[in-house]
Amino acid sequence: MQAPTDPSGPLRRRPVQQRSRERFDRILDACARLLDEVGYTALTTKEVARRAEVPIGTLYQFFPGVDGLLGALAERNLGHFADRLTRRVEAERPRHIGAMVDLAIEEYVAMRRAVPGFGVVDFGAIGREDPRSIHLLDAALENNAAVADRLWFLVGGLLGDGDQAATRVRLHVALESADAVLRLAFRRDPEGDPVLIAECKRLLRGYLGD
């Protein structure tokens, strides 16, 4: 069942009351589990609503269609990742970018192994390069650029005092590189090839620490 409006649009509204927030999260939880089972091609708003045990009209109160679901899931995943990484930073106080690289990759790998749907939609739609999929988080920025902006508050201080715009570009390039290597790691091994994960750390340490 398709949405009655353009499915590429943003969320129709965000939940405010506790009951609405619970329904919103239940819908995204059902979407994540379904992605693990059927991938993108068989994902429908009707089945997500059925799994979440909400009326289809309730789903459409929040989401204009499948792309809205994927975008909200990617946004939630990024929020959880940023929260997890913030806690690690506060606990371990990394003093150089290499240590930060290790923490970020370790948290990503942990989420990839444990969070439902994360292997299909992490902070973007994995394996999809169409215009909608590469702008799930932001209408103007591609997904990894939006992630770089979100992580800047944690990473920026460890990247030196040079041109901030140029440094943000470096962070974006690092995320694109990590994205490619980590996808390969999880294609080779469902739990993530440890050799490739280590190589990803080494690659980013060298590039960002230059």
Side-chain angles (χ1 to χ4, degrees):
M1 180 174 182
Q2 296 303 312
T5 60
D6 180 5
S8 67
L11 288 179
R12 284 191 167 140
R13 69 179 179 89
R14 293 187 179 275
V16 177
Q17 297 181 344
Q18 179 66 23
R19 184 179 179 187
S20 293
R21 290 197 298 269
E22 290 173 355
R23 284 184 170 183
F24 184 90
D25 284 335
R26 195 158 75 242
I27 291 167
L28 289 184
D29 289 342
C31 178
R33 290 191 297 270
L34 268 171
L35 284 170
D36 278 338
E37 294 175 25
V38 304
Y40 302 117
T41 55
L43 186 72
T44 65
T45 53
K46 181 178 180 180
E47 183 60 16
V48 170
R50 189 186 73 80
R51 292 287 189 97
E53 299 181 341
V54 300
I56 190 66
T58 297
L59 184 150
Y60 284 139
Q61 287 177 10
F62 302 115
F63 309 98
V66 167
D67 285 333
L69 284 166
L70 299 182
L73 186 59
E75 184 179 86
R76 186 174 74 167
N77 285 339
L78 178 56
H80 288 171
F81 175 75
D83 289 344
R84 290 170 64 123
L85 187 55
T86 298
R87 288 194 292 270
R88 289 287 301 274
V89 168
E90 290 173 349
E92 301 183 33
R93 300 293 180 183
R95 296 187 178 183
H96 55 83
I97 192 60
M100 176 63 79
V101 163
D102 289 354
L103 295 185
I105 291 177
E106 287 164 11
E107 288 306 313
Y108 178 90
V109 168
M111 289 184 70
R112 182 71 183 258
R113 290 171 175 167
V115 175
F118 199 78
V120 186
V121 172
D122 50 11
F123 315 132
I126 294 176
R128 290 179 57 177
E129 301 296 334
D130 58 277
R132 289 178 180 174
S133 298
I134 64 175
H135 289 280
L136 285 182
L137 292 171
D138 190 288
L141 298 175
E142 292 190 4
N143 296 324
N144 281 330
V147 175
D149 277 0
R150 182 70 177 271
L151 297 183
W152 178 256
F153 77 100
L154 282 173
V155 177
L158 298 174
L159 288 173
D161 299 322
D163 184 334
Q164 187 177 115
T167 306
R168 283 176 179 263
V169 170
R170 289 176 63 210
L171 181 57
H172 183 191
V173 170
L175 287 172
E176 293 286 351
S177 302
D179 196 16
V181 176
L182 291 173
R183 287 187 190 190
L184 177 60
F186 281 90
R187 283 202 303 272
R188 287 194 175 177
D189 182 339
E191 291 297 305
D193 185 315
V195 173
L196 289 175
I197 291 170
E199 284 299 296
C200 186
K201 289 181 178 180
R202 190 164 74 91
L203 174 68
L204 267 62
R205 277 172 164 262
Y207 175 65
L208 292 175
D210 184 7

